[in-house]
């Protein structure tokens, strides 16, 4: 409710999130709201899903849990073997032409994999709408390897997951107060020490823009790069905070400054 009231009406889920519970919860919410909501979900190409029809059956399961007749965006979650990208894109074409989905996307595809998907769909007159990948100020791989540039050239929206690097870019964590659990192993004290100069620049830039937080600066940076960030929110307060990253833009000079500080890491 909070997200929608703030103008954020795009929700990304997947059949594997909570083994279907995420879709079920969103479906329960959809029954209670009359506001327009856009839903994206994902198909997991498990190794035992060997037939083209597996995608249709998985989609029907997602639609049932969501309580809807058509999904706005359906994505292949990972480019996993043994079934080829071409086979799954043919299956996507089937459900698109059947009117079960509004757009086709992929997730975690590299340049060559994305182009293969793009070409199969193009032969059917269908656009590849999106590629969902990890992208943030501390993970700019998609910039360095040309994936972001290719998305722009082909009209494919890059959807950026973990735009806050699982909270590392929120400014809440320091060497003295590190993350715990799995995140703490990935973003350890050594990493946080290297991150500190970037966080300080983010704070300085945020002050100029009505005292925006490092998290809001980090999300806005992704938007300014032409990508669609999908930060997670566990509370109303976090949702409201994420929304504060919209409605304004970093300057070209500020983006360049952040890029430089990021590169030094």
């Amino acid at each position: 409710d909070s997200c929608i009231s703030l103008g954020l009406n795009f929700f990304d889920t997947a059949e594997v999130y909570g083994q279907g519970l995420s879709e079920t919860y969103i479906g329960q919410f959809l029954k209670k709201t009359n506001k327009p909501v856009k839903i994206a979900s994902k198909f997991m190409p498990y190794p035992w899903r060997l037939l083209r029809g597996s995608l249709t059956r998985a989609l029907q399961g997602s639609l049932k849990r969501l309580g809807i007749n058509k999904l706005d965006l359906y994505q292949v979650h990972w480019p996993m073997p043994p079934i080829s990208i071409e086979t799954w894109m043919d299956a996507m074409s089937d459900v698109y032409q059947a009117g079960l989905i509004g757009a086709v996307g992929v997730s975690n595809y590299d340049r060559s994999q994305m182009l293969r998907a793009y070409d199969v769909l193009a032969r059917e007159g269908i656009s590849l709408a999106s590629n969902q990948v990890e992208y943030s100020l501390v993970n700019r791989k998609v910039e360095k390897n040309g994936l972001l540039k290719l998305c722009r050239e082909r009209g494919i929206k890059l959807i950026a997951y973990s735009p806050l690097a699982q909270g590392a870019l929120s400014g809440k964590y320091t060497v003295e107060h590190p993350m715990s659990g799995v995140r703490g192993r990935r973003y350890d004290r050594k990493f946080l020490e290297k991150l500190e100069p970037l966080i300080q620049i983010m704070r300085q830039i945020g002050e100029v823009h009505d005292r925006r937080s490092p998290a809001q600066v980090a999300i806005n940076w992704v938007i300014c790069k032409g990508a669609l960030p999908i930060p997670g929110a566990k509370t109303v307060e976090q949702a409201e905070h994420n929304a504060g990253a919209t409605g304004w833009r970093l300057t070209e000079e500020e983006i360049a400054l952040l890029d430089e500080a990021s590169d030094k890491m």
Side-chain angles (χ1 to χ4, degrees):
D1 286 330
S2 177
C3 285
I4 291 174
S5 69
L6 293 164
L8 309 178
N9 67 345
F10 176 72
F11 295 88
D12 176 79
T13 184
E15 62 174 343
V16 297
Y17 295 166
Q19 299 306 306
L21 274 177
S22 175
E23 291 177 327
T24 299
Y25 291 153
I26 291 175
Q28 291 171 357
F29 168 72
L30 292 177
K31 293 176 182 177
K32 300 175 183 177
T33 182
N34 56 5
K35 301 289 180 64
V37 178
K38 297 291 185 182
I39 304 295
S41 194
K42 306 183 197 71
F43 164 77
M44 181 61 80
Y46 292 118
W48 55 85
R49 285 178 163 169
L50 300 173
L51 301 175
R52 179 167 162 175
S54 299
L55 184 142
T56 302
R57 288 189 291 274
L59 172 60
Q60 289 169 339
S62 290
L63 291 173
K64 183 178 180 180
R65 287 186 290 273
L66 289 162
I68 56 178
N69 297 318
K70 183 177 182 178
L71 196 60
D72 296 296
L73 173 66
Y74 200 39
Q75 307 153 93
V76 177
H77 210 145
W78 287 91
M80 292 168 57
I83 305 305
S84 71
I85 289 170
E86 287 75 14
T87 297
W88 292 135
M89 289 303 109
D90 283 336
M92 280 288 197
S93 176
D94 292 341
V95 295
Y96 178 87
Q97 292 173 353
L100 296 176
I101 63 173
V104 179
V106 294
S107 182
N108 299 298
Y109 276 43
D110 64 22
R111 280 171 47 93
S112 63
Q113 291 162 342
M114 187 178 75
L115 282 174
R116 286 168 61 186
Y118 179 94
D119 289 342
V120 172
L121 293 171
R123 288 197 290 269
E124 299 296 326
I126 302 170
S127 299
L128 178 62
S130 62
N131 188 1
Q132 184 177 147
V133 294
E134 185 171 355
Y135 182 39
S136 72
L137 268 165
V138 297
N139 185 341
R140 295 169 59 198
K141 183 178 178 181
V142 298
E143 280 185 42
K144 309 299 183 182
N145 63 18
L147 180 63
L148 179 60
K149 182 175 182 289
L150 182 61
C151 283
R152 290 172 180 156
E153 293 171 350
R154 298 298 176 103
I156 302 166
K157 175 60 72 173
L158 191 143
I159 301 176
Y161 70 79
S162 291
L164 296 178
Q166 296 183 303
L169 290 167
S170 68
K172 294 189 297 183
Y173 302 102
T174 63
V175 174
E176 293 76 23
H177 301 284
M179 296 181 183
S180 59
V182 175
R183 290 187 305 163
R185 289 194 289 273
R186 181 176 183 182
Y187 302 111
D188 57 16
R189 284 183 170 86
K190 186 177 180 181
F191 172 87
L192 292 172
E193 186 175 1
K194 292 181 180 179
L195 181 65
E196 185 56 29
L198 174 59
I199 295 292
Q200 289 303 320
I201 291 173
M202 293 163 70
R203 291 190 194 281
Q204 294 166 11
I205 290 174
E207 282 294 314
V208 177
H209 294 277
D210 296 325
R211 308 180 99 176
R212 306 288 177 175
S213 70
Q216 291 168 334
V217 170
I219 295 172
N220 192 273
W221 176 87
V222 172
I223 294 171
C224 290
K225 291 286 184 172
L228 172 64
I230 49 171
K234 294 181 180 179
T235 66
V236 170
E237 289 75 20
Q238 287 178 345
E240 292 173 343
H241 192 75
N242 289 343
T246 66
W248 59 281
R249 289 184 73 86
L250 295 164
T251 66
E252 292 299 322
E253 292 77 13
E254 290 165 341
I255 293 169
L257 189 61
L258 290 168
D259 286 354
E260 182 183 2
S262 170
D263 283 333
K264 288 180 179 177
M265 290 185 61

